[in-house]
Amino acid sequence: MITNDKPITHFIKQSAISLVNRIRNHRYSANQLIVITSLYVAFVCNFPFLTRAITAITQTSDYSFLFLLSVPTLLVSLIIMINGTIGVGKLLKPLLILTILLSTVLLYATASYGVVFDYTMIQNGAETDSAEAFSYLNAHDIVFVILVGGIPALGIFFAKVKTQSWSRGLKARSALVASHTILVVLIASVFYANYAAVGRNNRELLAYITPYKFVDATVKYTKRHYFTTELPFKTLDSNPLLEIEDDKARVTVLVVGETARAQNFSLNGYSHNTNQYTEDSGIVSFTKVSSCGTATAVSLPCMFSRLDRQTYDNRTANAQQNLLDIAKAAGTDVLWIDNNNGSCKGVCARVNSIDIDTGIANPLCDGEYCFDEALLLPLQNKLDNLSAKNTLIVLHMIGSHGPTYYKRYPQDKAVFLPDCQRSDIQHCSEQEIVNTYDNTIAYTDFVLNKIIARLEKLESDSAVQTAMLYISDHGESLGEKGVYLHGLPYAFAPQEQTHVPMLFWQNKSLAHQDNDCIKSVSSEVISHDNLFDIVLGITSVSSTQYIEGRDVLSKCRASDGLLAAATEPNTKILL
């Protein structure tokens, strides 16, 4: 932690003055500025890419040193081609300065947290609110950007560029771009097979090229979300039915966790007792559940969509009925209560919803975030005012969202110490990070137990059948192999980001739900693709979109005759 910023400030000031004075005494050609900047971007800002590329190449048994040498050469040439083509006239300095500053910010995120800026990460960032965005900002970020990006950008700003006639400048620029184009073609022709082999086995490498992968992903996101016509809304099932054969009302609480990974749940065998509150409640943990994505922007709408992970497309999903729409159409009273920045990513667009007010008037809130206990009051209000025979309440948690894990639980609920009381978690010890994250899981467990207690009381007071299903949207990396947080492309995301917890609890009156049977299927391999059918089954909603084979709980209801077996997928099921 920085305890005295005066030496750093003085160093930055003296470095800047020295650089400016040196630059002012020299005149550079436009091509020289392009080459110098391109070399800096290639070898400094693309250091994560180069190290990964070199590692991938040297791990092969028959790699060529010339091929290894060609990688940075190719990278520099490509950057020169881009800067040389776009940076004409008065655009030159702004382009180079922007490239340096943007590349530096991306370098910090990649080097510190292992973040890769592909399409999914751009989407996740675009849908992040200001409070969450600023949680990543700290003194180390600022100092790093100033030293690595600000000073070189300042040098470019003050650099004196030699004046040339239009024809002479065009000739020099054309020669620069043409020579490096030839070099790129030459490298590609000589080492094509090598690049193809390394690329085929290490597809993630391209995602580390800074800043061009970021620019490419941003352009695609902008084009798709702001310049593409919306699809007409599609009704998947116009007549879903509610099939409850007894007179008892039913309440199902679906708790959507945030950034919780399965391996840190003691219900799954983890050494830290993170489930001390629910371990004796009769809750069942499903141990082999995978997520649809590695970030909320993808996973949340995907898990409520009829589309599966392989076919999921955000544009298509938003233009058709989701799980909540079908439950509502069947006569279920659906309510979404959100404590995650008030964003359901479009999932709750057509059902009743409540956003938790983060104002400091609430003792559970700090003006930006609220502890998940804040969900309990609106939940209780709803339970006290049930108006339908079948009710589905979705609670969207802030859960274990990082990097400010320490803000996700009250200090009196800090079970594991010492914890990490800062956002730049890479500067905490491994044990401090794990302790802090485990505290968030333990606090989630505390809240889940409170929910169960309310459902049990509802049963005893009103004879209402109740059930709770908890599932997280994605997992989290805590520094394993130098990777932090989440959001890596799914193709090479570590298990920590895709293996998620799922917990199921039911009250005693749900006799048709055989708890021993549920325990027997809890080790089956399932994913977010199963959630649609599991929830339809729990809530007794009959729909043409229900697929019995994906409802892992279906066999545990069949013995009571409340679930008619399906002979064909996507046929009407009577629950």
Side-chain angles (χ1 to χ4, degrees):
M1 180 176 291
I2 298 175
T3 56
N4 185 357
D5 60 357
K6 290 184 179 180
I8 295 178
T9 304
H10 179 73
F11 172 75
I12 293 173
K13 181 178 179 180
Q14 292 302 314
S15 298
I17 293 174
S18 175
L19 178 63
V20 169
N21 290 334
R22 183 174 299 180
I23 290 172
R24 282 178 173 174
N25 295 327
H26 186 78
R27 285 185 176 272
Y28 300 86
S29 69
N31 284 0
Q32 284 178 320
L33 275 185
I34 290 172
V35 172
I36 293 171
T37 302
S38 299
L39 287 169
Y40 189 83
V41 171
F43 287 100
V44 176
C45 299
N46 274 282
F47 183 75
F49 164 74
L50 290 176
T51 54
R52 283 170 172 79
I54 291 171
T55 299
I57 293 171
T58 55
Q59 284 180 344
T60 60
S61 57
D62 56 347
Y63 77 90
S64 163
F65 178 76
L66 289 177
F67 170 53
L68 188 65
L69 187 63
S70 76
V71 173
T73 305
L74 179 64
L75 180 62
V76 171
S77 294
L78 288 171
I79 296 174
I80 289 175
M81 288 170 57
I82 294 171
N83 289 334
T85 302
I86 302 175
V88 294
K90 293 183 179 181
L91 288 177
L92 178 61
K93 280 190 175 183
L95 172 68
L96 298 182
I97 290 173
L98 179 61
T99 301
I100 288 285
L101 293 177
L102 178 59
S103 298
T104 302
V105 173
L106 300 178
L107 168 64
Y108 182 84
T110 302
S112 299
Y113 300 113
V115 175
V116 174
F117 291 90
D118 64 342
Y119 182 91
T120 300
M121 182 57 71
I122 297 302
Q123 179 183 2
N124 202 44
E127 298 176 7
T128 296
D129 69 353
S130 58
E132 182 177 341
F134 280 113
S135 70
Y136 292 87
L137 189 63
N138 54 68
H140 286 88
D141 300 354
I142 298 171
V143 171
F144 183 92
V145 172
I146 290 175
L147 290 176
V148 180
I151 293 178
L154 192 65
I156 294 173
F157 179 80
F158 285 106
K160 294 180 179 180
V161 181
K162 296 177 183 178
T163 56
Q164 291 180 310
S165 64
W166 183 85
S167 58
R168 189 171 182 178
L170 178 61
K171 183 178 180 180
R173 182 66 57 83
S174 298
L176 176 69
V177 174
S179 61
H180 284 279
T181 301
I182 293 172
L183 184 57
V184 168
V185 172
L186 182 62
I187 292 174
S189 60
V190 173
F191 297 107
Y192 174 79
N194 303 81
Y195 278 101
V198 172
R200 185 166 53 249
N201 297 321
N202 302 273
R203 296 183 184 276
E204 74 280 4
L205 283 176
L206 289 178
Y208 287 94
I209 297 180
T210 300
Y212 305 106
K213 183 61 178 180
F214 172 88
V215 174
D216 174 68
T218 301
V219 170
K220 289 179 179 177
Y221 177 83
T222 303
K223 179 181 178 181
R224 184 165 188 176
H225 285 261
Y226 299 105
F227 297 97
T228 303
T229 305
E230 290 186 7
L231 296 172
F233 191 81
K234 181 179 181 180
T235 299
L236 299 179
D237 187 353
S238 59
N239 189 34
L241 301 174
L242 184 61
E243 298 288 347
I244 299 179
E245 296 188 357
D246 51 51
D247 295 329
K248 288 187 177 181
R250 292 188 184 179
V251 174
T252 303
V253 176
L254 173 58
V255 185
V256 180
E258 170 67 50
T259 321
R261 64 187 203 177
Q263 70 187 69
N264 287 59
F265 277 61
S266 55
L267 288 171
N268 296 335
Y270 184 55
S271 57
H272 278 179
N273 188 9
T274 52
N275 298 114
Q276 59 176 306
Y277 297 101
T278 62
E279 61 184 356
D280 297 322
S281 66
I283 204 165
V284 178
S285 176
F286 288 74
T287 58
K288 298 177 181 178
V289 185
S290 59
S291 65
C292 186
T294 61
T296 305
V298 173
S299 276
L300 189 62
C302 180
M303 64 201 291
F304 284 87
S305 170
R306 178 68 284 178
L307 303 172
D308 57 27
R309 191 183 73 79
Q310 297 296 334
T311 61
Y312 176 76
D313 173 77
N314 183 260
R315 184 166 172 255
T316 303
N318 286 337
Q320 64 183 29
Q321 284 180 308
N322 61 32
L323 170 62
L324 302 187
D325 297 322
I326 290 178
K328 178 183 177 181
T332 302
D333 182 10
V334 181
L335 175 63
W336 180 287
I337 307 176
D338 203 291
N339 188 39
N340 196 331
N341 305 314
S343 176
C344 66
K345 308 301 182 184
V347 174
C348 64
R350 293 168 294 276
V351 301
N352 293 328
S353 62
I354 297 173
D355 294 336
I356 299 298
D357 184 1
T358 60
I360 57 176
N362 188 334
L364 294 170
C365 307
D366 63 4
E368 293 182 348
Y369 300 103
C370 296
F371 298 129
D372 280 324
E373 280 179 88
L375 292 164
L376 299 178
L377 179 59
L379 171 64
Q380 188 62 56
N381 289 339
K382 182 61 179 177
L383 296 179
D384 290 339
N385 296 278
L386 297 176
S387 58
K389 189 171 184 179
N390 197 42
T391 303
L392 173 61
I393 305 169
V394 184
L395 304 179
H396 189 199
M397 288 182 151
I398 189 69
S400 304
H401 201 293
T404 52
Y405 304 123
Y406 67 96
K407 291 186 176 182
R408 306 292 170 249
Y409 54 90
Q411 282 306 297
D412 63 354
K413 293 295 186 295
V415 182
F416 309 104
L417 296 171
D419 56 0
C420 178
Q421 294 281 324
R422 55 196 297 173
S423 63
D424 49 342
I425 56 176
Q426 71 276 15
H427 295 291
C428 291
S429 69
E430 178 183 348
Q431 190 59 57
E432 287 173 339
I433 295 172
V434 171
N435 284 345
T436 313
Y437 183 81
D438 285 350
N439 284 333
T440 68
I441 303 298
Y443 181 64
T444 291
D445 190 66
F446 170 79
V447 175
L448 293 180
N449 194 52
K450 291 284 188 180
I451 296 169
I452 291 172
R454 280 157 173 74
L455 294 179
E456 287 180 326
K457 188 175 189 301
L458 181 66
E459 177 197 8
S460 62
D461 291 349
S462 309
V464 175
Q465 295 182 339
T466 59
M468 183 195 74
L469 181 69
Y470 166 85
I471 186 168
S472 182
D473 59 351
H474 55 79
E476 185 86 329
S477 291
L478 299 178
E480 297 87 1
K481 298 181 180 178
V483 178
Y484 295 87
L485 305 178
H486 54 267
L488 283 180
Y490 203 95
F492 63 93
Q495 188 180 40
E496 289 83 7
Q497 295 187 25
T498 60
H499 184 201
V500 295
M502 187 173 91
L503 311 175
F504 179 68
W505 174 90
Q506 60 179 345
N507 66 7
K508 296 177 182 178
S509 65
L510 285 175
H512 68 285
Q513 301 260 30
D514 186 340
N515 220 47
D516 290 334
C517 175
I518 292 172
K519 290 178 182 178
S520 72
V521 300
S522 64
S523 60
E524 291 190 12
V525 178
I526 59 174
S527 70
H528 279 166
D529 295 346
N530 299 79
L531 183 68
F532 194 103
D533 307 284
I534 292 172
V535 174
L536 288 183
I538 295 173
T539 56
S540 296
V541 172
S542 168
S543 171
T544 58
Q545 296 302 303
Y546 175 81
I547 304 174
E548 184 187 10
R550 290 190 177 185
D551 180 4
V552 71
L553 300 180
S554 63
K555 65 186 68 175
C556 301
R557 291 190 295 270
S559 61
D560 195 47
L562 297 179
L563 182 66
T567 56
E568 296 288 340
N570 297 325
T571 57
K572 183 82 69 179
I573 308 298
L574 296 179
L575 300 180

